[in-house]
Amino acid sequence: MTSLDQLDAAIKRLDPQALLAGLSYDKTYNQSLGLSGDPSDFKVFIPYKTWPSETDPSKYPTTFASALEDAFKDVLAHGSAQTDDKSPCFIDIAHLDGGLGPFFTESTDGSPSIAQALADIVNRTAASTTPIVRFLAGTESIDPSSFWASNSGNYNAIFWPNGGPPLITHPKAEFHVGFYSPNFRPSTSTTPVETSALASGLKPAVDWLKKLVGRIKQALMLIGEDTKAIENALENLNPEYIVKVLIAYGLPSISWNHAKIVAVGGKTMMTGGGNYWSEYTANHHDIVDMQSKYKGDAAISAHTYADYFWRYLNRVHTTDTQSFRQATKLSTATPNWSPDTLAPLFDSKPIATSGIPVLTVAKLGDWAGPMNSIQYPVQLIDALRDLMLNIVWSLNIYKLPSFNIMPQAVAELGDDNSEIMTTLSELGVTSAAWATRYARTQAVANAVNSLHISTELLVNFLQVGNPKYQALVNTINTDLGLTGNYAWNGYLWPFDLLVAFGQALARMKNSASADAGIFIVLTTNQPGEHPGWEDDTKVSEVKSRLKAIMTAMATSGTIALSPGEVDKLVESKFQVKRVLTNSLWFNHCKVVCVDRRMMYIGSDNTYPNYNEEHGCWIEDEKTVAAWFTSFYDQLWLRSTPATD
């Protein structure tokens, strides 16, 4: 079984110069998991806090306080100074999209709203200190002016309720709002504006994609099968066009902040899947989600994550016309927003050398590297690799249906491959920029007895239907001669994760554990109140692809199975359910638990994505056991076996 120390060491091997140490990965020591000392306090189960005693979901309560609001206030209370002393007041908040609105202003059961609780903390801070509240958000594609116009009123209503006097009276208190959603001055036409800056800036990404094609061809030569048809098709791939579509005029923003954090004074922190939206206020019952709370230096790691983006927002690159910042004093009679005020940084390092270990992992990376004149998120590099692997799958089933090459393809393009590491280094990139994804894949691949996962989706189909993305998909299919049932549909499958599932299942075949296997709870595949949140991928297709990959692995001897054992093993030990009744509820958790010992809770989904993410791995038997008892065991019991 992979341990926390082994995960940390594996990520460090990807980053020999420690370029992202303390940023995308950081092992800290903490006072407690949770804030009360009760192991069950670590997790925040949304929406109910604890499972209703009634096991029929149709009879669950419809009136209840918000679990996420209460947890937010709990983190504020435990992280703030309790008296008028000189302790600094520094609060970081991060989530997806712009609004806070009702989540901050709602008051239930006579308890203060989050806005009031935050104001009480700030107002009792010593007058000699400057309380800082930073709010980091991100979303896909925006017009900054109209986006700010539609969202600034939410912040005004929170801190200047009903247009009246300010809720916060501390004379130095500041509120900073930042949106990280970088684009690259995309053209409005169907072809990019060709400039020398654009051409030189895109070259490293083009070279990377060409390198991936070369690695796939090398893998094909080693297979010992007739792969000429696939090699010939790859000759027609146009890396320049693909990169220009993704950057210059197809998807003007492919990476934005998706982390959901509150961190207080370097003392307490909460991270997970829940956004601070109206959908998470009291009496909203249709989203199952999960946060986790910490007391200790993991909070400093969360502030450091936020610092990374605030440094960027303090000097937004000239090619980025979407990201922006605004700031105001909080004690003025009316808001005085300014885009010119620089956001202060928390800028502190973890100090504890003993206690409960927590491994913070993140996705981040604003990449200038050798390009100089153009700058964009390094997650594009990972996106191009996923694109390549999904193209190879389509070519494989069309041109060489008798032999699955995906295990070799994943290995040739993997983060641990020495040639890939060298190429990335030459580009000024380290795979530690997507440490959340790498750590998850490593942990899954090394599971011995069991994997328990609660996640929204396994396959990313979210850009399908975007006309410009579809134009890219159509062009790739035309170039490669993929037609009819063999055409790539634009879905991005996590082939690295499927290979990892295969490695884990092969090991679990001989496990003596009573619950040996992989257990996954996905969101519903039925439409509901949140359009686009339902799963569009059939579980039968997931199993089919997993079987094909495992059969290839068994044939090549990379897993200790015979090909004939694969089908039965997948059917018996790869179990998937849809959340609760498979209707009315959506699963928004991002949780992976390995061998009932080690667990990740954060914002990073298991499907391929290229956002900026944050989450934590823990390895604590009591806390994990309490998570099973108070959450997952009942989630599994109450959910519906997938029949699609």
Side-chain angles (χ1 to χ4, degrees):
M1 183 201 75
T2 299
S3 68
L4 215 60
D5 286 341
Q6 288 170 326
L7 272 187
D8 185 41
I11 298 171
K12 287 177 177 176
R13 284 195 295 272
L14 301 179
D15 189 22
Q17 295 181 314
L19 298 176
L20 293 180
L23 293 170
S24 69
Y25 60 99
D26 194 17
K27 193 174 85 168
T28 58
Y29 296 91
N30 297 267
Q31 297 163 259
S32 65
L33 303 175
L35 306 177
S36 70
D38 181 346
S40 296
D41 184 55
F42 168 70
K43 63 100 178 64
V44 181
F45 166 30
I46 302 164
Y48 297 114
K49 296 186 183 179
T50 59
W51 285 105
S53 57
E54 174 59 63
T55 57
D56 180 356
S58 67
K59 298 179 181 179
Y60 285 1
T62 56
T63 304
F64 48 85
S66 165
L68 189 55
E69 287 176 2
D70 287 350
F72 196 112
K73 288 184 282 189
D74 198 24
V75 172
L76 286 174
H78 282 82
S80 62
Q82 299 302 309
T83 58
D84 184 17
D85 61 21
K86 294 185 179 181
S87 297
C89 180
F90 205 108
I91 300 170
D92 266 313
I93 303 164
H95 82 160
L96 176 67
D97 215 338
L100 294 172
F103 185 87
F104 261 56
T105 58
E106 178 177 71
S107 177
T108 57
D109 299 330
S111 62
S113 66
I114 290 174
Q116 185 62 60
L118 192 152
D120 291 344
I121 291 167
V122 172
N123 289 338
R124 69 171 177 251
T125 302
S128 58
T129 65
T130 301
I132 301 296
V133 181
R134 301 189 303 188
F135 172 53
L136 172 67
T139 193
E140 191 166 358
S141 298
I142 62 170
D143 172 71
S145 297
S146 59
F147 191 77
W148 177 247
S150 64
N151 279 278
S152 57
N154 290 328
Y155 314 131
N156 298 343
I158 290 170
F159 295 110
W160 288 266
N162 302 314
L167 200 61
I168 290 178
T169 56
H170 192 291
K172 293 184 177 181
E174 299 176 5
F175 184 40
H176 296 262
V177 176
F179 286 82
Y180 178 84
S181 185
N183 69 352
F184 321 103
R185 290 188 185 276
S187 167
T188 56
S189 67
T190 57
T191 57
V193 177
E194 297 292 347
T195 66
S196 58
L198 185 63
S200 63
L202 302 186
K203 187 177 184 301
V206 173
D207 290 345
W208 166 250
L209 189 51
K210 289 179 178 178
K211 179 71 173 181
L212 298 182
V213 173
R215 296 294 301 165
I216 292 297
K217 289 181 178 179
Q218 182 171 322
L220 292 173
M221 289 188 292
L222 298 174
I223 285 174
E225 300 283 331
D226 184 4
T227 60
K228 196 65 179 176
I230 299 178
E231 295 175 52
N232 290 341
L234 288 172
E235 291 291 340
N236 296 317
L237 198 66
N238 187 336
E240 288 86 354
Y241 174 78
I242 290 172
V243 171
K244 286 176 182 176
V245 168
L246 288 175
I247 296 178
Y249 61 89
L251 300 173
S253 180
I254 67 164
S255 190
W256 52 87
N257 177 69
H258 188 251
K260 303 91 164 58
I261 296 170
V262 55
V264 183
K267 299 176 182 176
T268 57
M269 185 272 288
M270 179 169 68
T271 188
N275 291 293
Y276 309 131
W277 296 344
S278 59
E279 288 86 349
Y280 288 81
T281 54
N283 305 331
H284 283 77
H285 72 278
D286 60 344
I287 301 173
V288 176
D289 217 329
M290 180 65 54
Q291 305 283 109
S292 52
K293 297 181 291 186
Y294 306 81
K295 182 186 291 185
D297 281 359
I300 297 176
S301 296
H303 288 300
T304 303
Y305 170 89
D307 273 355
Y308 188 93
F309 297 101
W310 283 105
R311 283 190 173 92
Y312 177 87
L313 292 168
N314 279 344
R315 51 148 189 84
V316 173
H317 196 267
T318 56
T319 59
D320 179 359
T321 61
Q322 288 192 160
S323 300
F324 67 92
R325 69 178 188 276
Q326 290 276 350
T328 182
K329 292 283 189 180
L330 282 167
S331 62
T332 54
T334 58
N336 56 354
W337 294 105
S338 169
D340 300 320
T341 305
L342 295 178
L345 303 176
F346 186 78
D347 205 19
S348 181
K349 303 295 183 185
I351 56 175
T353 58
S354 63
I356 301 170
V358 172
L359 179 61
T360 296
V361 287
K363 281 184 182 174
L364 49 77
D366 177 59
W367 178 33
M371 293 172 301
N372 300 317
S373 58
I374 189 169
Q375 193 165 356
Y376 49 84
V378 72
Q379 301 304 320
L380 173 73
I381 293 296
D382 200 27
L384 289 171
R385 175 167 47 188
D386 278 326
L387 179 68
M388 189 72 238
L389 288 169
N390 279 269
I391 289 171
V392 168
W393 172 272
S394 295
L395 284 172
N396 190 174
I397 60 174
Y398 183 28
K399 305 287 187 179
L400 189 64
S402 62
F403 189 87
N404 189 283
I405 66 174
M406 293 312 295
Q408 288 88 344
V410 169
E412 285 296 322
L413 304 190
D415 292 320
D416 292 312
N417 184 285
S418 59
E419 289 196 28
I420 289 294
M421 292 179 69
T422 298
T423 300
L424 289 174
S425 179
E426 291 169 353
L427 293 175
V429 175
T430 165
S431 298
W434 43 86
T436 51
R437 179 175 186 171
Y438 178 78
R440 177 174 58 241
T441 305
Q442 288 291 304
V444 167
N446 287 283
V448 173
N449 295 312
S450 64
L451 286 166
H452 294 81
I453 297 172
S454 181
T455 189
E456 186 177 4
L457 314 166
L458 290 174
V459 180
N460 188 342
F461 55 86
L462 303 178
Q463 287 296 339
V464 174
N466 178 318
K468 293 178 179 178
Y469 182 71
Q470 199 59 49
L472 171 63
V473 172
N474 293 342
T475 298
I476 289 173
N477 283 327
T478 299
D479 288 348
L480 299 179
L482 296 168
T483 60
N485 292 333
Y486 298 107
W488 177 46
N489 60 6
Y491 286 38
L492 291 172
W493 285 73
F495 287 106
D496 56 339
L497 186 61
L498 292 181
V499 169
F501 282 156
Q503 292 169 320
L505 282 171
R507 199 175 295 109
M508 292 170 187
K509 183 191 76 165
N510 299 317
S511 173
S513 173
D515 70 336
I518 297 176
F519 304 87
I520 303 175
V521 179
L522 296 172
T523 195
T524 179
N525 59 2
Q526 304 298 313
E529 185 176 337
H530 307 290
W533 283 34
E534 67 273 12
D535 190 0
D536 195 37
T537 304
K538 294 184 181 300
V539 172
S540 58
E541 177 66 11
V542 175
K543 288 186 175 182
S544 175
R545 294 196 181 201
L546 177 58
K547 289 175 183 178
I549 288 169
M550 288 185 66
T551 298
M553 296 167 73
T555 301
S556 66
T558 55
I559 56 176
L561 285 178
S562 68
E565 293 178 290
V566 169
D567 189 87
K568 181 178 179 181
L569 183 62
V570 171
E571 290 300 329
S572 63
K573 293 193 180 297
F574 188 79
Q575 299 187 39
V576 182
K577 289 189 174 184
R578 297 285 184 189
V579 66
L580 297 179
T581 61
N582 191 29
S583 63
L584 303 179
W585 280 270
F586 295 85
N587 189 9
H588 199 250
C589 298
K590 299 93 169 61
V591 186
V592 177
C593 184
V594 180
D595 292 331
R596 289 186 174 261
R597 290 177 56 88
M598 190 170 69
M599 181 166 63
Y600 168 85
I601 298 177
S603 67
D604 192 26
N605 289 291
T606 51
Y607 62 78
N609 72 87
Y610 315 104
N611 295 322
E612 320 306 306
E613 308 284 4
H614 178 277
C616 295
W617 282 92
I618 66 163
E619 186 179 15
D620 184 86
E621 288 191 60
K622 288 184 178 180
T623 303
V624 173
W627 177 80
F628 272 101
T629 301
S630 61
F631 174 69
Y632 195 90
D633 288 344
Q634 285 296 311
L635 175 68
W636 186 259
L637 178 67
R638 297 170 189 231
S639 292
T640 304
T643 57
D644 51 301

